[in-house]
Amino acid sequence: MIPSKNKSKLLNLLNPKLRKRLGLILANSANTLLLPVFNLAVSLLVIRLASVELWGAFVSILIWMNLAIHIMHWGSKEYLLREFSRSPGKITETWQSNVFTRLLLLGAFVLILLAWPLPSLRKWLLMFWGGSALLYQSFEALILYRRKFIVSLLLEVTAIGFLVGSIFIANSRGQLEVDFLIALFAIAISFKFVGLAFLFRKD
């Protein structure tokens, strides 16, 4: 015989609403943990296929880009979630206003890149990466507010598959280099942005 207390717990687990909520929590957790795990996997892949030197040259750019993107996006998610809760009827206006404000920081990022002594192609690739990343991260609050964790996770997994496949193909053709990796990361994040833009097109 199952004790009544355990029966109650079992019934709660079978509750569709509880299962849905648990699924959302797991999807959000997986989405959060995927990026650091993926970065580690890509680093090992590049080192194995190419060299430590190539990954070392790229990872320094990756660190600076992540820092710049963090600064441009800093405080945005918390602000938007607070405003969405206060004024659910003004989500579109609030989100757009926040994006336009952040674009000013993107402009400063572009000016710094233009002044930096880098090859012209690399500058354009980094601008593309920074702009795509800023726009992609602007949807973070909407993902949380609308609870679209599973769609976001699917986009992440698809982008990872694209990156890994492209790295293997580029290595087989002898094209694996720093600018190629920058372009790959920029294209992957722009793909995720386009996917979320379509998902939240009503917002």
Side-chain angles (χ1 to χ4, degrees), residues 32-63:
T32 304
L33 293 171
L34 198 59
L35 188 59
V37 172
F38 161 69
N39 283 338
L40 177 61
V42 169
S43 68
L44 294 173
L45 181 62
V46 172
I47 290 168
R48 183 177 178 82
L49 293 178
S51 65
V52 176
E53 289 76 18
L54 174 61
W55 181 251
F58 175 72
V59 81
S60 61
I61 295 171
L62 180 64
I63 290 169

Coordinates of all heavy atoms in Angstrom, one line a residue, residues 32-63:
T32 N 20.1 28.3 -19.9 CA 21.1 29.1 -19.2 C 22.5 28.4 -19.2 O 23.5 29.0 -19.3 CB 20.6 29.4 -17.8 OG1 19.4 30.0 -17.8 CG2 21.6 30.3 -17.0
L33 N 22.5 27.1 -19.0 CA 23.7 26.3 -18.9 C 24.3 26.0 -20.2 O 25.5 25.6 -20.3 CB 23.4 25.0 -18.1 CG 23.0 25.2 -16.6 CD1 22.6 23.8 -16.1 CD2 24.2 25.7 -15.8
L34 N 23.5 26.1 -21.3 CA 24.0 25.6 -22.6 C 25.2 26.4 -23.1 O 26.2 25.9 -23.7 CB 22.9 25.7 -23.6 CG 23.0 24.9 -24.9 CD1 23.2 23.4 -24.6 CD2 21.8 25.1 -25.8
L35 N 25.2 27.8 -22.9 CA 26.2 28.6 -23.5 C 27.6 28.3 -22.9 O 28.5 28.1 -23.7 CB 25.8 30.1 -23.3 CG 26.7 31.1 -24.0 CD1 26.7 30.8 -25.5 CD2 26.3 32.5 -23.7
P36 N 27.8 28.3 -21.6 CA 29.1 28.0 -21.1 C 29.6 26.6 -21.4 O 30.8 26.4 -21.7 CB 29.0 28.1 -19.5 CG 27.5 28.1 -19.3 CD 26.9 28.7 -20.5
V37 N 28.7 25.6 -21.5 CA 29.1 24.3 -21.8 C 29.5 24.2 -23.3 O 30.5 23.6 -23.7 CB 27.9 23.3 -21.6 CG1 28.2 21.9 -22.2 CG2 27.6 23.2 -20.1
F38 N 28.7 25.0 -24.1 CA 29.0 25.0 -25.6 C 30.4 25.7 -25.8 O 31.2 25.2 -26.7 CB 27.9 25.8 -26.3 CG 28.3 26.3 -27.6 CD1 28.5 25.4 -28.7 CD2 28.5 27.6 -27.9 CE1 28.9 25.9 -29.9 CE2 28.8 28.1 -29.1 CZ 29.0 27.2 -30.1
N39 N 30.7 26.8 -25.1 CA 31.9 27.5 -25.3 C 33.1 26.6 -25.0 O 34.1 26.6 -25.7 CB 32.0 28.8 -24.5 CG 31.2 29.9 -25.0 OD1 30.9 29.9 -26.2 ND2 30.8 30.8 -24.2
L40 N 33.0 25.8 -23.9 CA 34.0 24.8 -23.6 C 34.2 23.8 -24.7 O 35.3 23.4 -25.1 CB 33.7 24.2 -22.2 CG 34.6 23.1 -21.7 CD1 36.0 23.7 -21.5 CD2 34.1 22.5 -20.5
A41 N 33.0 23.3 -25.2 CA 33.1 22.2 -26.2 C 33.7 22.8 -27.5 O 34.5 22.1 -28.1 CB 31.7 21.7 -26.5
V42 N 33.4 24.0 -27.9 CA 34.0 24.6 -29.1 C 35.4 24.8 -28.9 O 36.2 24.6 -29.9 CB 33.3 25.9 -29.4 CG1 34.0 26.7 -30.5 CG2 31.8 25.7 -29.9
S43 N 35.9 25.3 -27.7 CA 37.3 25.5 -27.5 C 38.1 24.2 -27.7 O 39.1 24.1 -28.3 CB 37.5 26.0 -26.1 OG 37.2 25.1 -25.1
L44 N 37.5 23.1 -27.1 CA 38.2 21.8 -27.2 C 38.2 21.3 -28.7 O 39.2 20.7 -29.1 CB 37.5 20.7 -26.3 CG 37.6 21.0 -24.8 CD1 36.7 20.0 -24.1 CD2 39.0 20.9 -24.3
L45 N 37.1 21.6 -29.4 CA 37.0 21.2 -30.8 C 38.0 21.9 -31.7 O 38.7 21.3 -32.5 CB 35.6 21.4 -31.3 CG 35.3 21.0 -32.8 CD1 35.5 19.5 -33.0 CD2 33.9 21.5 -33.2
V46 N 38.1 23.2 -31.5 CA 39.1 24.0 -32.3 C 40.5 23.6 -32.0 O 41.4 23.5 -32.9 CB 38.9 25.5 -32.0 CG1 40.0 26.4 -32.7 CG2 37.5 26.0 -32.5
I47 N 40.8 23.4 -30.7 CA 42.1 23.0 -30.3 C 42.5 21.7 -30.9 O 43.6 21.4 -31.4 CB 42.3 23.0 -28.7 CG1 42.2 24.4 -28.1 CG2 43.6 22.3 -28.3 CD1 42.1 24.4 -26.6
R48 N 41.5 20.7 -30.9 CA 41.8 19.4 -31.4 C 42.0 19.4 -32.9 O 42.8 18.8 -33.5 CB 40.6 18.5 -31.0 CG 40.8 17.0 -31.5 CD 39.7 16.2 -31.0 NE 39.8 14.8 -31.4 CZ 40.6 13.9 -30.8 NH1 41.3 14.2 -29.7 NH2 40.6 12.6 -31.3
L49 N 41.1 20.2 -33.6 CA 41.2 20.2 -35.1 C 42.3 21.1 -35.6 O 42.9 20.8 -36.6 CB 39.8 20.7 -35.6 CG 38.6 19.8 -35.4 CD1 37.4 20.4 -36.0 CD2 38.8 18.4 -36.1
A50 N 42.5 22.2 -34.9 CA 43.5 23.2 -35.4 C 44.7 23.3 -34.5 O 45.6 22.5 -34.6 CB 42.8 24.6 -35.6
S51 N 44.6 24.3 -33.6 CA 45.8 24.5 -32.7 C 45.3 25.3 -31.5 O 44.3 26.0 -31.5 CB 46.9 25.2 -33.4 OG 46.5 26.5 -33.7
V52 N 46.2 25.2 -30.4 CA 45.9 26.0 -29.2 C 46.1 27.5 -29.5 O 45.4 28.4 -29.0 CB 46.9 25.6 -28.1 CG1 46.8 26.5 -26.9 CG2 46.7 24.2 -27.7
E53 N 47.0 27.8 -30.4 CA 47.3 29.2 -30.8 C 46.1 29.9 -31.5 O 45.8 31.0 -31.2 CB 48.5 29.3 -31.8 CG 49.8 29.0 -31.1 CD 50.0 27.5 -30.9 OE1 49.3 26.7 -31.5 OE2 50.9 27.1 -30.1
L54 N 45.4 29.1 -32.3 CA 44.2 29.7 -33.0 C 43.1 30.0 -32.0 O 42.5 31.1 -32.0 CB 43.7 28.7 -34.0 CG 42.3 29.1 -34.7 CD1 42.5 30.4 -35.4 CD2 41.9 28.0 -35.6
W55 N 42.9 29.0 -31.1 CA 41.8 29.3 -30.1 C 42.3 30.4 -29.1 O 41.4 31.2 -28.7 CB 41.5 28.0 -29.3 CG 40.4 28.3 -28.3 CD1 40.6 28.4 -26.9 CD2 39.1 28.6 -28.5 NE1 39.4 28.6 -26.3 CE2 38.4 28.8 -27.3 CE3 38.3 28.6 -29.7 CZ2 37.1 29.1 -27.2 CZ3 36.9 28.9 -29.6 CH2 36.3 29.2 -28.3
G56 N 43.5 30.5 -28.8 CA 44.0 31.6 -27.9 C 43.8 32.9 -28.6 O 43.4 33.9 -27.9
A57 N 44.1 33.0 -29.9 CA 43.9 34.3 -30.6 C 42.4 34.7 -30.6 O 42.0 35.8 -30.5 CB 44.4 34.2 -32.0
F58 N 41.5 33.7 -30.8 CA 40.1 33.9 -30.9 C 39.5 34.2 -29.5 O 38.6 35.1 -29.4 CB 39.4 32.8 -31.5 CG 37.9 32.9 -31.5 CD1 37.3 33.9 -32.4 CD2 37.1 32.2 -30.7 CE1 35.9 34.0 -32.4 CE2 35.7 32.3 -30.7 CZ 35.1 33.3 -31.5
V59 N 39.9 33.5 -28.5 CA 39.3 33.6 -27.2 C 39.5 35.0 -26.6 O 38.7 35.5 -25.8 CB 39.8 32.5 -26.2 CG1 41.1 32.8 -25.6 CG2 38.7 32.3 -25.1
S60 N 40.7 35.6 -26.9 CA 40.9 37.0 -26.4 C 39.9 38.0 -27.0 O 39.4 38.9 -26.3 CB 42.3 37.5 -26.8 OG 42.5 37.5 -28.2
I61 N 39.5 37.8 -28.3 CA 38.5 38.6 -28.9 C 37.1 38.3 -28.3 O 36.3 39.2 -28.1 CB 38.4 38.3 -30.5 CG1 39.8 38.8 -31.1 CG2 37.3 39.0 -31.1 CD1 39.9 38.4 -32.5
L62 N 36.9 37.0 -28.1 CA 35.6 36.5 -27.5 C 35.4 37.2 -26.1 O 34.3 37.6 -25.8 CB 35.6 35.0 -27.3 CG 34.3 34.4 -26.7 CD1 33.1 34.6 -27.6 CD2 34.6 32.9 -26.6
I63 N 36.4 37.2 -25.3 CA 36.3 37.8 -24.0 C 36.0 39.3 -24.1 O 35.1 39.8 -23.4 CB 37.6 37.6 -23.2 CG1 37.8 36.2 -22.8 CG2 37.6 38.5 -21.9 CD1 39.2 35.8 -22.3

